[in-house]
């Protein structure tokens, strides 16, 4: 580890409190020396991005204490809210002491390209960056037809090196790690990657009408175009764990000046 100081890690995800990937990440963080607390959605909340929605009764959002398999001494909560809501709650007085880092995952499936905008796994660490916390979103490239035994151990093999990078980075750094679902001897070296234009797959949505009314039908299809060299999608497909630093929303000054200049030029 890059630091011997005992840090507190908030472990969350968007697949829900019952995901084995969450338990694996919590165990990996504990074994890395973190003081660990787990708080994750009570149900699957995949695809919610940075949503801070919760199920409210007035101004109350319910918590359910849980005990995780093989982690009896780790405090764990199922929260009736989305991942970014959980992280923001931790920074607004819920957790004392507050976390030093947010670790989100291990997601059931890769989070690639600019489509990470929609990921609740990524949304959690970007929410943490707004509080000045370092964060790491962790995803395993599991296919749509999930294998019986995903290679969680491969992620935990890569994790210590990536945590060293995270702890050496400035406050508020948000990283995204994608790991191939391969045995440890078969993976390549860790590579820094830029975001692909899209992810590894795209969703097609069709509009249909019938006796049950109108509906939108979605189906996932792999991209037919060649993968862009140097991107997270291409490097992951080649067997490399990939690491990408992400930025939260920021302003871009000069819109009025650019528009005025463009009109004059026209």
């Amino acid at each position: 580890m890059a630091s011997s100081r005992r840090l507190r890690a908030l472990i969350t995800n968007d697949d829900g409190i019952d995901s084995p990937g969450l338990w694996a990440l919590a165990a990996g963080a504990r074994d890395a020396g973190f003081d660990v607390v787990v708080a994750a959605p009570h149900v699957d909340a995949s695809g919610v991005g940075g949503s801070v929605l919760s199920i409210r009764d007035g101004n109350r959002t319910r918590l359910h204490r849980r005990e995780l398999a093989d982690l009896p001494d780790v405090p764990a909560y199922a929260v009736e809210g989305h991942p970014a809501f959980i992280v923001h709650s931790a920074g607004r007085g819920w957790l004392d002491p507050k976390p030093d880092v947010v670790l989100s995952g291990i997601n059931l499936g890769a989070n690639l390209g600019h489509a990470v905008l929609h990921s609740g796994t990524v949304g959690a660490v970007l929410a943490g960056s707004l509080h000045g916390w370092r964060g790491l979103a962790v995803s395993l490239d599991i296919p749509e037809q999930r294998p019986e035994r995903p290679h969680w151990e491969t992620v935990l093999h890569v994790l210590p090196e990536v945590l060293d990078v995270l702890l050496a980075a400035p406050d508020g750094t948000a990283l995204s790690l994608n790991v191939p679902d391969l045995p440890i001897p078969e993976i390549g070296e860790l590579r820094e990657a830029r975001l692909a234009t899209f992810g590894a797959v795209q969703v097609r949505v069709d509009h249909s009408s019938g006796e049950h009314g109108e509906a939108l039908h979605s189906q996932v299809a792999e991209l037919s175009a060649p993968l862009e060299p140097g991107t997270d999608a291409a490097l992951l497909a080649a067997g490399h764990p990939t690491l990408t630093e992400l930025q939260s929303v920021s302003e871009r000054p000069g819109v009025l000046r650019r528009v005025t200049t463009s009109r004059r030029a026209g």
Side-chain angles (χ1 to χ4, degrees):
M1 296 291 294
S3 172
S4 60
R5 183 168 71 87
R6 188 168 174 81
L7 301 175
R8 194 172 208 213
L10 170 61
I11 314 297
T12 192
N13 72 351
D14 69 359
D15 291 318
I17 191 71
D18 294 315
S19 172
L22 177 76
W23 310 341
L25 183 58
R30 178 201 57 186
D31 294 346
F34 286 96
D35 176 24
V36 172
V37 58
V38 173
H42 71 303
V43 295
D44 190 328
S46 297
V48 300
S51 165
V52 290
L53 182 69
S54 69
I55 301 172
R56 302 189 184 215
D57 177 9
N59 64 352
R60 299 169 63 235
T61 297
R62 293 186 180 275
L63 296 175
H64 308 275
R65 285 189 177 268
R66 297 288 295 270
E67 183 172 307
L68 303 185
D70 301 322
L71 296 167
D73 298 328
V74 171
Y77 303 90
V79 184
E80 295 189 8
H82 289 165
F85 168 81
I86 293 170
V87 174
H88 280 308
S89 297
R92 292 288 184 260
W94 171 32
L95 290 183
D96 185 18
K98 296 177 182 179
D100 298 290
V101 299
V102 175
L103 306 180
S104 184
I106 302 168
N107 193 65
L108 293 162
N111 278 303
L112 299 170
H114 288 89
V116 297
L117 172 70
H118 310 299
S119 165
T121 305
V122 171
V125 300
L126 291 177
S129 73
L130 298 179
H131 293 272
W133 303 331
R134 299 174 180 89
L136 174 66
V138 186
S139 305
L140 182 62
D141 188 24
I142 298 172
E144 189 175 359
Q145 296 296 324
R146 295 179 184 173
E148 186 174 334
R149 299 184 65 181
H151 291 89
W152 306 120
E153 74 284 353
T154 303
V155 180
L156 299 185
H157 173 75
V158 176
L159 187 63
E161 179 182 358
V162 176
L163 289 176
D164 278 347
V165 173
L166 182 68
L167 294 181
D171 291 346
T173 295
L175 302 178
S176 178
L177 170 67
N178 285 282
V179 179
D181 186 34
L182 296 171
I184 293 171
E186 296 181 20
I187 64 170
E189 65 176 343
L190 177 67
R191 296 281 297 274
E192 183 174 352
R194 58 187 177 86
L195 295 176
T197 303
F198 301 103
V201 297
Q202 282 188 294
V203 176
R204 177 182 172 84
V205 181
D206 296 308
H207 182 189
S208 66
S209 300
E211 60 179 320
H212 300 295
E214 296 187 84
L216 297 176
H217 296 270
S218 60
Q219 58 183 3
V220 175
E222 292 191 5
L223 296 176
S224 56
L227 297 175
E228 306 161 76
T231 63
D232 49 5
L235 291 170
L236 186 66
H240 293 280
T242 67
L243 190 64
T244 304
E245 183 175 356
L246 304 175
Q247 287 186 319
S248 187
V249 176
S250 61
E251 75 282 355
R252 184 185 178 193
V255 60
L256 292 179
R257 174 180 51 78
R258 289 193 300 273
V259 171
T260 301
T261 302
S262 176
R263 285 175 175 171
R264 288 174 178 170

